[in-house]
Amino acid sequence: MTLPRKTYNIAVLPGDGIGVEVTHAALELLQALGPRLNCSFHCTPYPAGAQHYLDSGQALPDTTLDACRKADAILFGAMGLPHVRGADGTEIIPQLDIRFALDLYAGVRPIRTWPGLPTPLSDPRAQHIDLVLVRESTEGLFYARGRGRLEGQGAEACVYDTQKISHAGTARVCNFAFELARQRKASGRRGHVTNVDKANVFMSMAFWRQVFEERAKHYPDISTDNAYVDAMALNLVMRPWQCDVLVTENMFGDILSDLIAALVGGMGMAPSADIGDHHAVFQPAHGTAPDIAGRGIANPSAMLLSTAMMLDWLAVRHADPALADGARAIEAALAGAFLQGGVRPYDFGGTSNTADITRAVLERL
Ligand code: ATP
């Protein structure tokens, strides 16, 4: 028996609701892929989430965060339950805490249509949607989380949440988007970055645009344009097939992430990665879906595609191209399951449950 070339240590945070169910699917996938890629994935689960907060008083224990810092990569299910809230009335959201704690500034949300699955848009060009949203994830309006300020009382009360846009924070996420566009151009895509802001109204956004345009000068091979977020919301529904890479601040990115997921059928098909210079978390863009949790019908595709993103990231970091081959194998297996395998997830009106979809992917690897 040959020993694996390399062992990758993966910190696994399944979390709450369907986070646990889709994480199980991803772990089965990694277990099956390891021998095929001649490596081993040492996956260790750690507690965190809303249920853990109820049980222990801690949503993201320091021990879990330390393990994340030491791991080669972090695989994350979903966290938060609507009835579990902190003293200020907001939900327990450790996925935000981890982005700030590990400085994961680039939220990468790729979206594409999958032949074999229906799309909500009837225009035939919707079959060619293939875009990536890059969301700044450590500043913007989310910087106000935990820093909100209440002034006055009763009818006089007023609450302020302040947005932060820094030069360094904007420049690094714009660089990330340009590098991504370069990679996409090298793989035959357009290689174009659209900056999404609200520079016509807010000083912070005019500053963001100025930094974007400064950074664009360093990437003359990449074409660019600017869009206001309201117009972008319209264009994403009218002409999403024209988009390649979008970059935007945290709050706009939060909202547009869900919009682009809807273009290809919903949250079940929307993977994501939150990437910093030293760490990265890979998790589906969806939440814990309390409405379907515990029924075994969650679509694991977003999680399996997030696992593929993890392999791509590890492939570059560890100069291990076999992992990128693994990522392509996951995508091809999923595509085959939809196109030839007759797999149709519940969120697409079908009857394939989490286990059916996972099995169909594993059979095709
Ligand atoms: P969050 O606030 O964490 O983003 P949310 O409650 O707003 O979470 P989701 O949990 O993502 O949103 O769920 C939104 C809708 O999409 C729900 O109807 C849910 O059932 C559905 N959904 C989300 N993920 C999946 C999935 N993997 N498979 C099937 N349906 C899903």
Side-chain angles (χ1 to χ4, degrees):
M1 197 181 83
T2 49
L3 286 174
R5 285 174 300 118
K6 186 156 173 46
T7 296
Y8 292 99
N9 290 307
I10 313 296
V12 181
L13 280 60
D16 304 302
I18 65 164
V20 179
E21 299 165 37
V22 297
T23 300
H24 182 74
L27 294 181
E28 278 190 65
L29 181 69
L30 285 176
Q31 205 180 7
L33 264 180
R36 288 167 173 78
L37 305 177
N38 191 20
C39 68
S40 128
F41 298 101
H42 189 247
C43 298
T44 312
Y46 293 96
Q51 187 58 50
H52 190 69
Y53 175 78
L54 283 182
D55 297 341
S56 70
Q58 281 189 303
L60 182 64
D62 288 344
T63 45
T64 294
L65 200 50
D66 282 348
C68 290
R69 284 199 177 92
K70 288 184 190 128
D72 291 312
I74 303 149
L75 203 52
F76 195 107
M79 296 188 190
L81 295 168
H83 61 283
V84 183
R85 289 176 185 262
D88 65 354
T90 59
E91 272 188 48
I92 304 298
I93 315 177
Q95 55 270 40
L96 293 185
D97 300 322
I98 205 167
R99 283 174 207 161
F100 281 81
L102 302 183
D103 203 21
L104 309 177
Y105 58 86
V108 186
R109 320 279 192 250
I111 281 295
R112 53 165 283 198
T113 17
W114 293 84
L117 289 183
T119 49
L121 298 180
S122 58
D123 190 309
R125 288 172 293 182
Q127 290 304 325
H128 306 290
I129 297 171
D130 178 3
L131 62 91
V132 186
L133 176 76
V134 180
R135 163 188 177 184
E136 200 294 320
S137 297
T138 56
E139 303 191 336
L141 195 52
F142 282 72
Y143 178 77
R145 184 166 167 256
R147 294 185 173 90
R149 188 164 47 86
L150 167 68
E151 286 184 12
Q153 286 181 341
E156 304 296 317
C158 199
V159 179
Y160 297 87
D161 282 321
T162 305
Q163 158 148 301
K164 172 185 172 185
I165 302 289
S166 74
H167 189 284
T170 307
R172 65 181 183 174
V173 76
C174 289
N175 287 343
F176 188 100
F178 283 115
E179 294 291 344
L180 181 63
R182 260 188 188 160
Q183 283 169 27
R184 285 171 65 86
K185 194 170 181 178
S187 69
R189 295 179 178 97
R190 197 172 151 210
H192 179 91
V193 181
T194 302
N195 166 51
V196 183
D197 62 32
K198 192 73 182 165
N200 52 339
V201 176
F202 298 106
M203 187 178 166
S204 60
M205 291 282 87
F207 179 68
W208 165 284
R209 183 175 289 203
Q210 186 189 316
V211 178
F212 172 80
E213 286 176 348
E214 264 172 43
R215 298 318 307 161
K217 293 195 183 98
H218 296 263
Y219 297 87
D221 49 321
I222 301 300
S223 57
T224 64
D225 65 344
N226 293 295
Y228 298 131
V229 65
D230 44 340
M232 197 68 223
L234 178 90
N235 281 331
L236 276 171
V237 176
M238 302 293 286
R239 290 177 282 277
W241 44 86
Q242 289 181 353
C243 298
D244 187 17
V245 177
L246 313 177
V247 64
T248 192
E249 72 83 33
N250 210 340
M251 187 67 177
F252 295 159
D254 185 39
I255 298 164
L256 294 181
S257 293
D258 279 29
L259 192 158
I260 60 172
L263 296 176
V264 297
M267 302 307 290
M269 298 308 300
S272 89
D274 292 295
I275 299 179
D277 290 333
H278 306 292
H279 306 281
V281 169
F282 300 87
Q283 67 168 122
H286 61 73
T288 56
D291 54 337
I292 58 164
R295 295 169 56 197
I297 61 169
N299 180 355
S301 304
M303 184 58 162
L304 301 182
L305 292 169
S306 303
T307 308
M309 291 177 81
M310 178 179 86
L311 295 184
D312 272 330
W313 184 75
L314 285 170
V316 174
R317 250 179 114 71
H318 295 268
D320 187 351
L323 295 186
D325 294 341
R328 298 296 77 73
I330 295 173
E331 290 164 357
L334 195 60
F338 295 138
L339 198 55
Q340 294 108 23
V343 164
R344 179 69 68 95
Y346 270 83
D347 44 340
F348 285 83
T351 55
S352 310
N353 63 23
T354 315
D356 296 333
I357 301 168
T358 310
R359 198 178 320 109
V361 170
L362 291 178
E363 278 168 11
R364 283 175 172 75
L365 273 183

